[in-house]
Amino acid sequence: MLKLLELVDRLCEDLAGYTESAVATALGPVGMAGIAREQRLPGICSVDRNPSRTALVAALFMLGGRLSLEEYEQVLPSIPLEEAIEAGLVTDSIRSCIAIRPVPVDDRHGGGELLIASDLGPLQGKAPSTDHVMPVGGATKTLASLTSFEAGQTVLDLGTGCGYHALLAAKAGAKVVATDVSERALAFTKLNASLAGLEVETRLGSLYEPAPERFDRIVSNPPFVITPAKVRAMIGTFEYRDGGVEGDSLLQEAVAGTTDHLTEDGIAWMLGNWQVAADVTSGSFGEAWKQPVEEWLGDQKAWVVLRDAIDPAQYAEMWLRESQLTGSAYDSAYCVWLGESAKDTSIAFGYLTIAAEDGPQRLEDYRGPIADTFVDSTWAGLELAGASDQELLAMRLVSKAVLETRLHTPGQPDPWHISITAHGREIPISAEVAGFLGASDGELTAGQIIAALAQLLSVPEDEMTEAVLPAVRELIGAGALVLGG
């Protein structure tokens, strides 16, 4: 991998113009749809029909295709084949040794694209090895949608993998430390930083051991898959996904470590799986998903979002498929996995935003879209939503980014359903709460609006307060109500 760093300048020169939009044009909608499903053949067929230079670049570095010498010289004219083979960029049969893919960067992180190198995987027809380094996937993008970095901040990317989050932080001008237990992952991080012309310090080690200092921001997509020890003994420990520890203890340690590794105003963002003592298939899941996380957090200020929850069988199927096991090996590992899983349990997946200081907590089950305004407004409203009832009643609030929907049965004067859409998510509300929102322009306090509604509807004020105030607190937490100017 070190020899690849010597080729970076010429590689960047030859890959100029290798962008997502250029690849989409070269491979067409059918080829790109196949890539989204991790099916390479539609793209390979597109290259065969239209072997443009961009298509050949995609065939080599994205689809695991084989090039002729003439095609290779079109793709990498600055790097002689013998040198590319010696550096470990391509094989002597002219197939790439690594995947390189343009990855769009959202506006939250300044836009543009990054070239991200990783190990060959299912899209290139390769099964992952135990030291496999993943490309940028859905979980990585989900975590990126939460984060934001500023110039001058110190940032720790805990379990960096291919280094994507470290690059986003460095791109913003932060001083970044990236850690991982995998030397191969750190080598890819160095390569990707060089491809982007960015500075990232890499350190080898588990969790916080190689980074004992405090940071302004911590970001972590740790190897959170909960694989039973007997299954790991059968299929190996995949460093990129399995922490090699019991249950969800790795995520627990990562959360606990934030208290000693965040600066006073620091924030940590994490993804993870955790075990829940409830059967998600029985309808009894309820609020049980919160209990483990609440215990880990203690009194720390935090926002936790449950994104999904599945039973052990679904969980085993998902990760054994990803390991590309087949036949009797799959069957054996599956049965052992279920035999080792506790009965009547589920596995939760979610993300956590954690502050250094103690404060209010918001734990919610939300499966919808994650918009920038949703993320920022929810975190900003956390302290406000944690105010006492008397403090809430004294606030002058303003509804923000709210669209109201009313559904009527023909011939009936009153709607049977009222909801608002705020920051990309729909929230059902009552007619009384809708009236409160309509009057929330910052002129009157929440208490004055509630008193007016009580008088208008001939309801005792304390009953109106009891009916409306919890919803007001929730709408503040969802970013639909903010303090007036």
Side-chain angles (χ1 to χ4, degrees), residues 35-96:
I35 288 172
R37 301 190 304 273
E38 292 200 333
Q39 296 293 324
R40 58 194 291 268
L41 292 181
I44 291 293
C45 291
S46 294
V47 176
D48 290 342
R49 289 193 299 270
N50 177 30
S52 66
R53 183 174 182 276
T54 298
L56 292 173
V57 173
L60 181 64
F61 288 119
M62 189 181 293
L63 301 172
R66 179 178 179 177
L67 302 187
S68 67
L69 177 59
E70 181 182 358
E71 290 170 334
Y72 171 85
E73 290 174 344
Q74 287 185 63
V75 170
L76 297 175
S78 301
I79 305 174
L81 178 59
E82 295 77 10
E83 189 176 355
I85 293 172
E86 184 182 358
L89 181 61
V90 300
T91 67
D92 54 9
S93 60
I94 317 184
R95 295 180 185 272
S96 181

Side-chain angles (χ1 to χ4, degrees), residues 100-121:
I100 304 177
R101 185 168 178 177
V103 178
V105 175
D106 59 22
D107 292 339
R108 188 176 184 81
H109 296 98
E113 291 187 352
L114 291 169
L115 285 178
I116 300 294
S118 63
D119 272 321
L120 302 173

Side-chain angles (χ1 to χ4, degrees), residues 445-459:
T445 67
Q448 289 170 331
I449 296 174
I450 288 173
L453 286 171
Q455 184 176 7
L456 179 66
L457 298 174
S458 301
V459 174

Side-chain angles (χ1 to χ4, degrees), residues 399-407 417-429 434 437-438 475 478-481:
S399 59
K400 184 178 182 182
V402 172
L403 176 66
E404 184 181 288
T405 301
R406 291 175 178 251
L407 301 179
H417 175 81
I418 306 174
S419 65
I420 62 164
T421 302
H423 307 291
R425 66 153 135 185
E426 184 180 6
I427 305 171
I429 59 173
L437 278 171
L475 292 172
L481 283 169

